């Protein structure tokens, strides 16, 4: 796996993006890409309070993003040259111009399995797709049918989820684990993903980027709960095998629909940082920056003190990466776009 510690080649990227008429970024997923949609839902799964947002755009501003600053999708939008943040579709401050450059329908706590979203009353993929339909109506009203269609077909659609299906659902709740072996559950998730992508295709999406599942066994929370000092290899194997199935599914989707696809290998990007922290300027790989760094995330992180220098940390809380780690992930995603989708 080729890994790039350096950033993406932005001038080249912008040429490629212009040549391929990329219009905007549309985002579906979980807390890895939710810029604050959950702020507007009746769920406890929120991150719109300190210390979240501590380093957001040079000021301390909790937005609902589960990190200290921006997410990978914000950095991708900035690199492409449209906007330095992607807003949530439910954001009341959304301006019409924002709709033209992209929007996120993602909801922290969601997953490929509808049950995963229902456990914390957040937006399932089906609900995210409903909002996508609403978005298309707004777009048509703004720019007319023909241009709206073009904007959607030339948008880069990002899909980033899967973590909650395993960590919040399968390994915690007794429901799915009683119905399925972990192998069968992976197949169930993949078939759900396939169905969702086909729905996106029917709604006009033609360029799809899927972010794999991170090394679940390296989360500080998982290490704490399993009382392990190293990454949990069993969970990491689950991540790896699930990711290989995503890659196979993308090949099938390309062959059957003609969609252009790219895969973001977040697993190896994070594992590489955990195993070679000095290469990236990290010092702390096994705990988050918030509170004790071993258990707290979301509500339990509220108002806690944080580490002195988040740029030395891979994880912001016991589950979510820091802004610096998200920037590294964004660079990997941009390289993947250049090398696969637009090659």
């Amino acid at each position: 796996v080729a890994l790039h510690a350096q950033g993406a080649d932005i001038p080249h990227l912008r040429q490629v993006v212009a040549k391929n008429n990329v219009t905007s970024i549309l985002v579906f997923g979980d807390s890895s890409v939710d810029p604050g949609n959950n702020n507007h839902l009746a769920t406890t799964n929120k991150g719109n309070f300190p210390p979240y947002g501590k380093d957001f755009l040079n000021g301390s501003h909790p937005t609902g993003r589960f990190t200290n600053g921006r997410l990978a999708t914000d950095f991708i939008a900035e690199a492409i040259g449209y906007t330095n943040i992607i807003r949530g579709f439910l954001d009341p401050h959304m301006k019409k111009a924002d709709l033209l450059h992209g929007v996120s329908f993602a909801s922290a706590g969601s997953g490929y399995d509808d049950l995963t979203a229902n456990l914390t009353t957040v937006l399932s993929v089906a609900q995210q797709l409903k909002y996508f339909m609403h978005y298309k109506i707004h777009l048509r009203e703004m720019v007319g049918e023909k241009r709206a269609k073009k904007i959607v077909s030339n948008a880069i659609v990002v899909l980033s989820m899967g973590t909650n299906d395993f960590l919040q659902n399968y390994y915690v709740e007794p429901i799915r684990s009683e119905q399925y072996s972990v192998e069968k559950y992976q197949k169930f998730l993949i078939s759900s993903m396939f169905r969702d992508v086909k729905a996106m295709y029917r709604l006009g999406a033609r360029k799809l980027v899927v972010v794999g599942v991170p090394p679940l066994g390296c989360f500080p929370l998982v290490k704490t709960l399993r009382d392990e000092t190293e990454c949990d290899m069993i969970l990491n194997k689950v991540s790896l095998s699930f990711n290989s199935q995503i890659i196979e599914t993308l090949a099938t989707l390309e062959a059957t629909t003609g969609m252009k696809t790219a895969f973001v290998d977040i697993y190896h990007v994070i594992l590489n940082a955990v195993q070679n922290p000095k290469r990236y300027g990290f010092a702390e790989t096994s705990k988050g920056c918030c509170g004790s760094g071993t258990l707290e995330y979301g509500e339990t992180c509220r108002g806690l003190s944080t580490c002195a220098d988040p740029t030395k940390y891979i994880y912001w809380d016991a589950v979510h990466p820091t802004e610096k780690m998200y920037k590294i992930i964004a660079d990997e995603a941009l390289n993947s776009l250049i090398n696969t989708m637009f090659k």
Side-chain angles (χ1 to χ4, degrees):
V1 179
L3 286 172
H4 314 273
Q6 81 282 15
D9 177 350
I10 302 294
H12 174 56
L13 174 79
R14 289 189 180 170
Q15 274 175 333
V16 169
V17 159
K19 204 174 91 190
N20 288 277
N21 304 317
V22 172
T23 47
S24 62
I25 301 180
L26 300 171
V27 186
F28 299 85
D30 59 16
S31 61
S32 60
V33 287
D34 178 0
N37 284 319
N38 278 21
N39 302 353
H40 313 288
L41 302 178
T43 177
T44 54
N45 210 335
K46 290 178 164 71
N48 57 344
F49 43 79
Y52 290 108
K54 194 174 178 191
D55 306 294
F56 186 76
L57 294 177
N58 310 324
S60 183
H61 181 53
T63 58
R65 289 169 176 79
F66 283 77
T67 182
N68 55 312
R70 288 188 286 165
L71 301 168
T73 34
D74 297 315
F75 288 117
I76 291 168
E78 183 173 56
I80 287 173
Y82 291 135
T83 170
N84 60 356
I85 58 166
I86 295 265
R87 289 193 185 277
F89 186 66
L90 302 183
D91 184 343
H93 304 296
M94 169 89 70
K95 294 178 188 65
K96 287 200 163 165
D98 294 325
L99 289 175
L100 293 173
H101 299 314
V103 60
S104 175
F105 307 98
S107 180
S110 193
Y112 292 115
D113 181 352
D114 284 349
L115 175 64
T116 303
N118 296 343
L119 291 171
T120 49
T121 51
V122 299
L123 304 176
S124 64
V125 181
Q127 289 165 301
Q128 294 183 32
L129 287 167
K130 273 200 187 113
Y131 282 126
F132 179 32
M133 292 180 209
H134 288 269
Y135 162 81
K136 285 177 62 183
I137 293 166
H138 288 299
L139 209 54
R140 277 205 302 270
E141 287 169 353
M142 268 170 74
V143 299
E145 179 82 45
K146 202 173 155 194
R147 188 158 165 233
K149 205 172 163 181
K150 206 169 167 163
I151 288 173
V152 171
S153 67
N154 285 317
I156 290 172
V157 176
V158 177
L159 178 58
S160 177
M161 51 172 51
T163 294
N164 300 309
D165 293 311
F166 294 105
L167 292 190
Q168 298 282 138
N169 189 343
Y170 191 84
Y171 289 109
V172 176
E173 301 291 328
I175 304 165
R176 292 300 191 216
S177 51
E178 284 175 7
Q179 291 173 311
Y180 300 103
S181 67
V182 73
E183 293 75 22
K184 289 234 165 64
Y185 187 56
Q186 290 182 1
K187 292 219 168 4
F188 169 75
L189 295 177
I190 288 290
S191 65
S192 305
M193 179 191 122
F194 191 80
R195 179 197 66 209
D196 297 333
V197 172
K198 292 288 275 247
M200 290 173 189
Y201 179 79
R202 283 195 300 275
L203 292 168
R206 293 295 179 267
K207 296 177 168 73
L208 175 72
V209 179
V210 178
V211 182
V213 171
L216 300 172
C218 295
F219 285 13
L221 178 71
V222 169
K223 288 180 174 175
T224 304
L225 294 176
R226 300 206 161 195
D227 199 19
E228 295 178 37
T229 48
E230 298 300 312
C231 298
D232 183 277
M233 282 322 295
I234 295 169
L235 275 178
N236 277 5
K237 282 204 178 87
V238 168
S239 304
L240 261 183
S241 81
F242 185 62
N243 287 344
S244 65
Q245 292 176 56
I246 292 178
I247 294 167
E248 283 169 26
T249 306
L250 291 180
T252 307
L253 282 160
E254 283 210 348
T256 54
T257 65
M259 278 179 110
K260 282 192 180 326
T261 69
F263 176 75
V264 180
D265 187 358
I266 190 174
Y267 178 93
H268 283 102
V269 179
I270 293 180
L271 193 67
N272 212 45
V274 168
Q275 292 172 343
N276 311 286
K278 286 195 177 66
R279 185 185 301 176
Y280 300 91
F282 291 122
E284 179 54 73
T285 63
S286 62
K287 53 180 210 268
C289 179
C290 175
S292 71
T294 55
L295 282 169
E296 301 90 349
Y297 69 100
E299 195 51 54
T300 52
C301 189
R302 186 189 280 270
L304 296 185
S305 61
T306 54
C307 63
D309 183 1
T311 65
K312 296 277 184 270
Y313 281 65
I314 291 175
Y315 293 99
W316 173 246
D317 58 22
V319 172
H320 301 97
T322 53
E323 177 181 73
K324 180 176 170 181
M325 190 66 231
Y326 274 130
K327 173 79 172 72
I328 294 166
I329 292 164
D331 288 338
E332 181 61 26
L334 292 164
N335 284 318
S336 180
L337 278 180
I338 293 171
N339 297 328
T340 58
M341 187 177 282
F342 299 133
K343 66 175 181 290

